[in-house]
Amino acid sequence: MLFSAVRRIAATLFIFTAVLVANAAAQDADLGKAPAGVVSDQQEVIASITARTDALQKKMEQSAEDDAGLVDIRLQLEQLSRDLLQSGVAFRPRLAEINARLEQLGKPPAEGQPPEPAVVTSEREKLNAEKTEINAVLGVAENLSIRIDRLISQITEIRRSLFQNLLTKRYQINFALGSEVADAFKTEMNDLYRTVSSWVRFVVSFKLKSMLAATFFALGAAAVIIIGGRRMFGRMFEPDGRVEEPSYLSRLSVAFWSTFMQSTALVVFLGVTYYLFAYFEVLRGDIGAMLWSLFYVIAIVFFVSRLGMAVLSPKLPKWRLIPVESGAARWLMLLITATAFFTGLDYFLSSVYQVLGSPVALTVGEALTSTVVIGVLVILIGLVKPFVDEEGHPKPWPRLFRYIVLTLGGVTIVAALGGYIGLARFVSQQIVITGTILATMYIGFLSSQAVNEEDAFVKTTVGRRIKRMFTLDDTTLDQLGLVSSMVINLLVLIVGVPLILFTWGFQPGDMITWLYRIGSGFQIGSFNFSPAGLLSGVMVFAIGYFVTRWFQGWLDGSVMARSKVDAGVRNSIRLAVGYAGVALAGLIAVSAAGIDLSNLALVAGALSLGIGFGLQNVVSNFVSGLILLAERPFKVGDWIVAGAVSGTVKKISVRATEIETFQRQSVILPNSDLINSAVGNWTHRNKLGRVEVPIGVAYGSDAKRVHQILLDIARGHPLVLKNPEPFVLFSAFADSSMNFEIRVFLADIGNSAFVQNDLRFAILEAFEREHIDIPFPQRSIRVVGDKQATPWPADDEQAEAEYAAMEQERLKKSGEETAKPKSRRRKPDPS
């Protein structure tokens, strides 16, 4: 029996050992294969990146004149650079393992020392060979990275040269250009007419139903926006001339929503029309390009005119956002609309000429005429005198604004007449488009400032709706207005800045690159600051904070309240859960932000000295708060006495405890004072307590009768406990009275004031019924002298007042007699 058991145990041990050996062998095999796999995999990745880099370099040479194509190539090269970086990072774990193993093996023995085992030498050689191979692959990757960075720099230089050539290229302007432009214009207009008429015949013959259906659906989409906007925003959609004094916030709201909704409806109509035309194959390639530029011009001109109408309001002066005169408002509206129209016309005609392959002279002549007209219109805008001074005379624009406008108009005209058509066209387009965007952003900032004012958000339509829906008070709505103001500013910057950059020639790829660089962060010393990581950390902390608060409420209101847990225990658990949740959310947020806590070790070590000296009271209060929450010598709702402070505990935090006195005064006591000093707790384990009512009776009263009366009064009160039973103490023989004291026990010591009050009223009634006097102190005064001493009257306050009046009368009479001078006869003046 014993032998069979031993045999089974030995067999089990043998099988277990064999399994361990097999696992070890498998691990060794995996370790032996892993390095080769990593190297071969990364070699394939680097070879693929090299091939893609070669292809992009050839494509870059072919797209030397295409700015958008160059941006796309740069984005692909930057992605290859990131892939290459990831390939290099893949070697780090294996290099760390090799270096660690080489340190364990140590250096080869020197000459004259005993040789090391052949296994160790072989392993060291394999590891060094593998390390050399990895370093070679990393060298190839580094060279490839340098090449990619060089290509990115070349793209940047090519794009800069393209932009400079666009602005600095000069065309010959002379009288011969006029006749050449006139002939080319006539020819190209005939070609345009033939192109458009052939397309119209094609549409009428084969695509009329599709075109009408597309137009109908586009009109329906625009109508939905207009009708929905009117129903949703109502009075904010258009100004009401019946309003006598509209507020500035109302004017801003009407200006914004009227411009935004109508412009959005038009853009939706044009966009849906173009999309459905393309979907139903109504458009040809040349017609599609011209139609797209026409729709773009219509949208820009309409938006500029609507914005000018909203800001200047020529027909309704009370709804203007800037205080200009009505005549000046009409002139400015006309000039602004004309400037936008000629800018759009220049853009549309240049697109048409590009599609038709028109001569360069026609493009130059058209751009020269348009830019000169735009420059003149801009100068006229700067010369308008829109304001009125105190005496009623016209007043021009502010000096800085006027000089800027006049300079831009002059530069446009001079550049166009000098032959720099690209520069003139660029400036004229920026005057309209960038100026419109800046004006819109300015209105957004004004709206934010108006919402930020006190009680402004409460009076808005949105504020009233939110108040009705969520039953919020005015203070909360005012704080919501502050948040709305910050959100408006942020949205204005997020939308406006990219639009301005687009109009200045930047491509969407540039924005993507900048966003990626901002997201990846930048180095400040040894600290890597990442705005995206910081934002993600803040969001994680906010989510953790609100989840913690929700869990606190659920735990306190659903779990502990149903379990009938004591209020003090509930408060302690709720606080502990809150602190733990916030701390955990903070740690996760720091980790999500990408902050390495090990970098803060030195700072924490330096701060520990300051904590030991300057923050010792804070730390003491913090530790004391933890002790109070753990030991619970008192809890929320207890009646405590701490020194001169007596009241109810309202809140226990880790730094201080809030106590509300019976005068409704909140007293904040540091936790260390409550730990290091004596604290009386009337309701520590229960609310049972004793109260006393002292009373004195006059000498000559029946003491036993008094004792019995007081005892009956105490026993007759409904809140006085029968066990322990009430007790009346004959406490002392005082100077003027025999002193008694009623001692009763109450189930709730919080009712002590009411019980004492009832007992005193009952004592007065019983003593009056039994003719028992309650004495008061009596004093007598003896005057030493010839006169016989008279006793001090019982009403000493009245006697003191009469005596003081007599003394004042006596002093007044004696003072008048002393102050009267003797009358003298005045001698005549000898002169």
Side-chain angles (χ1 to χ4, degrees):
M1 188 75 176
L2 178 62
F3 177 75
S4 61
V6 172
R7 186 175 60 184
R8 285 195 297 269
I9 293 173
T12 303
L13 292 175
F14 175 77
I15 295 173
F16 181 72
T17 305
V19 171
L20 290 178
V21 172
N23 289 335
Q27 291 177 0
D28 292 339
D30 292 339
L31 290 174
K33 294 178 181 178
V38 170
V39 173
S40 60
D41 291 344
Q42 298 308 315
Q43 284 178 340
E44 293 178 0
V45 171
I46 293 173
S48 175
I49 294 175
T50 304
R52 292 162 62 188
T53 303
D54 295 337
L56 289 175
Q57 186 174 5
K58 293 180 181 180
K59 187 176 179 181
M60 183 182 72
E61 295 172 356
Q62 298 173 357
S63 305
E65 301 295 330
D66 184 7
D67 185 70
L70 291 173
V71 173
D72 182 64
I73 294 172
R74 189 188 67 184
L75 288 176
Q76 297 182 44
L77 288 173
E78 290 176 349
Q79 182 61 42
L80 291 180
S81 179
R82 292 191 289 269
D83 295 340
L84 196 60
L85 179 62
Q86 294 295 327
S87 176
V89 171
F91 287 110
R92 289 182 180 178
R94 182 55 187 166
L95 284 175
E97 293 177 2
I98 293 174
N99 292 328
R101 184 55 181 163
L102 289 175
E103 289 181 1
Q104 293 177 357
L105 295 177
K107 297 181 179 180
E111 295 182 2
Q113 294 183 352
E116 62 182 0
V119 177
V120 176
T121 304
S122 175
E123 185 178 1
R124 184 185 294 109
E125 292 176 354
K126 290 181 180 180
L127 291 175
N128 286 325
E130 184 182 347
K131 185 176 180 181
T132 303
E133 186 178 5
I134 292 176
N135 289 331
V137 176
L138 289 176
V140 174
E142 183 177 359
N143 293 332
L144 183 58
S145 177
I146 295 173
R147 179 189 173 190
I148 292 175
D149 292 340
R150 189 182 298 114
L151 291 176
I152 293 174
S153 300
Q154 290 178 4
I155 289 176
T156 303
E157 293 297 329
I158 294 173
R159 293 187 63 208
R160 186 181 294 111
S161 299
L162 288 175
F163 186 72
Q164 290 176 355
N165 293 334
L166 175 66
L167 299 182
T168 59
K169 186 176 181 180
R170 188 174 183 273
Y171 297 90
Q172 189 68 30
I173 305 298
N174 49 34
F175 291 102
L177 181 65
S179 58
E180 185 178 357
V181 169
D183 295 337
F185 181 76
K186 182 178 180 180
T187 302
E188 295 303 321
M189 288 299 103
N190 291 330
D191 292 343
L192 178 62
Y193 174 77
R194 286 193 297 270
T195 301
V196 174
S197 60
S198 64
W199 174 73
V200 171
R201 286 194 298 270
F202 166 77
V203 171
V204 172
S205 302
F206 303 100
K207 296 289 184 179
L208 182 60
K209 293 182 179 180
S210 299
M211 183 178 180
L212 293 177
T215 306
F216 174 77
F217 286 122
L219 287 174
V224 168
I225 294 179
I226 293 292
I227 297 173
R230 289 184 181 276
R231 292 181 61 86
M232 182 177 296
F233 301 103
R235 291 175 297 176
M236 295 187 296
F237 195 82
E238 57 186 11
D240 188 358
R242 296 171 297 178
V243 180
E244 293 294 334
E245 294 294 335
S247 64
Y248 194 72
L249 185 59
S250 300
R251 286 180 281 168
L252 284 171
S253 300
V254 170
F256 173 78
W257 288 112
S258 60
T259 303
F260 177 76
M261 296 303 299
Q262 296 184 27
S263 301
T264 302
L266 179 65
V267 169
V268 168
F269 168 73
L270 298 176
V272 172
T273 300
Y274 185 85
Y275 172 78
L276 293 178
F277 279 6
Y279 180 79
F280 291 123
E281 298 180 353
V282 176
L283 300 176
R284 294 191 319 225
D286 52 352
I287 297 297
M290 289 188 289
L291 190 64
W292 175 259
S293 61
L294 178 62
F295 284 177
Y296 177 77
V297 170
I298 292 174
I300 293 296
V301 174
F302 180 81
F303 179 76
V304 173
S305 63
R306 285 306 312 166
L307 181 64
M309 185 69 69
V311 174
L312 298 174
S313 186
K315 298 181 180 180
L316 296 175
K318 296 178 181 179
W319 289 90
R320 286 181 193 143
L321 295 181
I322 54 177
V324 298
E325 291 298 311
S326 298
R330 288 190 291 270
W331 269 107
L332 287 173
M333 187 66 202
L334 178 63
L335 293 173
I336 291 172
T337 304
T339 304
F341 171 76
F342 282 103
T343 303
L345 181 64
D346 176 46
Y347 178 82
F348 173 69
L349 291 178
S350 64
S351 300
V352 171
Y353 295 153
Q354 184 177 2
V355 171
L356 298 177
S358 304
V360 177
L362 180 60
T363 304
V364 173
E366 180 272 324
L368 173 64
T369 305
S370 300
T371 52
V372 170
V373 171
I374 293 170
V376 172
L377 292 174
V378 172
I379 292 176
L380 292 177
I381 292 174
L383 294 177
V384 171
K385 296 181 179 180
F387 307 111
V388 176
D389 58 12
E390 298 178 353
E391 298 179 357
H393 300 296
K395 181 179 178 182
W397 295 103
R399 182 174 301 176
L400 179 61
F401 178 79
R402 185 171 73 254
Y403 286 167
I404 291 176
V405 172
L406 293 177
T407 302
L408 290 175
V411 168
T412 303
I413 296 175
V414 171
L417 296 177
Y420 297 98
I421 302 300
L423 177 61
R425 177 177 285 176
F426 178 79
V427 174
S428 63
Q429 290 178 356
Q430 300 312 314
I431 290 174
V432 176
I433 301 177
T434 305
T436 303
I437 297 173
L438 290 176
T440 307
M441 293 176 65
Y442 181 66
I443 293 176
F445 289 132
L446 290 179
S447 303
S448 171
Q449 185 177 359
V451 172
N452 193 28
E453 293 181 359
E454 187 175 1
D455 294 335
F457 186 73
V458 182
K459 300 176 182 178
T460 61
T461 304
V462 178
R464 288 192 292 267
R465 290 181 180 177
I466 294 176
K467 184 177 182 179
R468 290 195 302 268
M469 292 174 60
F470 300 99
T471 63
L472 301 177
D473 56 0
D474 292 346
T475 303
T476 304
L477 284 175
D478 190 56
Q479 294 174 352
L480 188 60
L482 296 176
V483 176
S484 302
S485 174
M486 293 187 291
V487 171
I488 291 173
N489 287 328
L490 185 61
L491 289 177
V492 168
L493 293 175
I494 290 176
V495 176
V497 173
L499 288 178
I500 292 176
L501 294 177
F502 288 153
T503 60
W504 281 74
F506 293 94
Q507 300 293 333
D510 297 322
M511 307 295 166
I512 296 174
T513 301
W514 295 342
L515 290 176
Y516 180 81
R517 291 177 180 176
I518 292 174
S520 60
F522 49 89
Q523 200 79 12
I524 302 177
S526 61
F527 178 71
N528 186 19
F529 178 77
S530 174
L534 183 62
L535 181 61
S536 63
V538 172
M539 293 179 62
V540 168
F541 179 78
I543 293 173
Y545 178 81
F546 286 112
V547 168
T548 300
R549 290 292 178 260
W550 170 82
F551 182 75
Q552 278 183 293
W554 174 80
L555 183 65
D556 182 49
S558 299
V559 178
M560 292 189 292
R562 294 184 181 181
S563 302
K564 308 299 181 183
V565 180
D566 182 73
V569 177
R570 289 169 55 184
N571 179 73
S572 299
I573 295 176
R574 185 173 63 251
L575 288 176
V577 169
Y579 290 130
V582 171
L584 182 61
L587 291 175
I588 297 176
V590 169
S591 178
I595 300 175
D596 189 4
L597 296 179
S598 61
N599 295 331
L600 303 178
L602 182 61
V603 179
L607 288 177
S608 62
L609 183 62
I611 292 175
F613 289 97
L615 301 179
Q616 56 181 348
N617 290 333
V618 176
V619 176
S620 175
N621 290 326
F622 180 79
V623 175
S624 300
L626 296 179
I627 294 173
L628 291 176
L629 291 174
E631 293 186 354
R632 298 180 61 248
F634 52 83
K635 57 186 179 298
V636 173
D638 282 357
W639 174 13
I640 68 171
V641 179
V645 179
S646 177
T648 305
V649 178
K650 288 296 181 181
K651 183 180 179 182
I652 303 174
S653 61
V654 292
R655 192 198 68 82
T657 298
E658 179 183 349
I659 300 174
E660 185 180 277
T661 64
F662 299 108
Q663 291 81 20
R664 299 297 180 183
Q665 179 189 25
S666 294
V667 180
I668 310 300
L669 288 180
N671 290 329
S672 58
D673 293 348
L674 298 173
I675 289 292
N676 299 324
S677 302
V679 177
N681 191 347
W682 285 93
T683 56
H684 181 43
R685 291 183 176 86
N686 52 57
K687 296 184 179 182
L688 179 66
R690 192 189 77 180
V691 296
E692 298 84 15
V693 179
I695 184 66
V697 298
Y699 282 101
S701 302
D702 187 353
K704 292 185 178 181
R705 179 60 181 162
V706 171
H707 181 275
Q708 187 61 40
I709 292 173
L710 296 177
L711 190 59
D712 293 340
I713 291 173
R715 290 174 176 173
H717 198 282
L719 295 181
V720 173
L721 295 178
K722 303 299 188 256
N723 185 21
E725 63 178 352
F727 178 74
V728 177
L729 175 67
F730 190 167
S731 58
F733 293 100
D735 295 338
S736 304
S737 63
M738 296 183 293
N739 292 343
F740 291 82
E741 187 177 276
I742 301 177
R743 297 178 178 178
V744 296
F745 288 88
L746 305 179
D748 186 358
I749 193 64
N751 297 324
S752 59
F754 304 104
V755 174
Q756 288 174 327
N757 200 42
D758 294 341
L759 293 178
R760 290 189 179 102
F761 277 115
I763 290 171
L764 285 176
E765 294 175 358
F767 282 8
E768 184 179 358
R769 186 173 56 252
E770 297 291 337
H771 304 290
I772 298 174
D773 296 330
I774 301 176
F776 50 84
Q778 296 184 2
R779 291 172 292 179
S780 61
I781 183 171
R782 184 180 299 275
V783 180
V784 180
D786 296 338
K787 295 182 180 180
Q788 186 178 359
T790 58
W792 190 268
D795 194 351
D796 51 355
E797 293 184 357
Q798 181 179 359
E800 288 179 0
E802 293 176 353
Y803 179 75
M806 293 173 59
E807 285 294 319
Q808 289 179 0
E809 186 68 24
R810 185 179 62 81
L811 292 175
K812 182 177 180 182
K813 290 181 179 179
S814 62
E816 290 178 353
E817 293 177 357
T818 305
K820 286 182 180 180
K822 295 182 179 180
S823 59
R824 292 184 179 179
R825 187 184 181 91
R826 185 174 181 181
K827 296 181 180 181
D829 191 352
S831 62

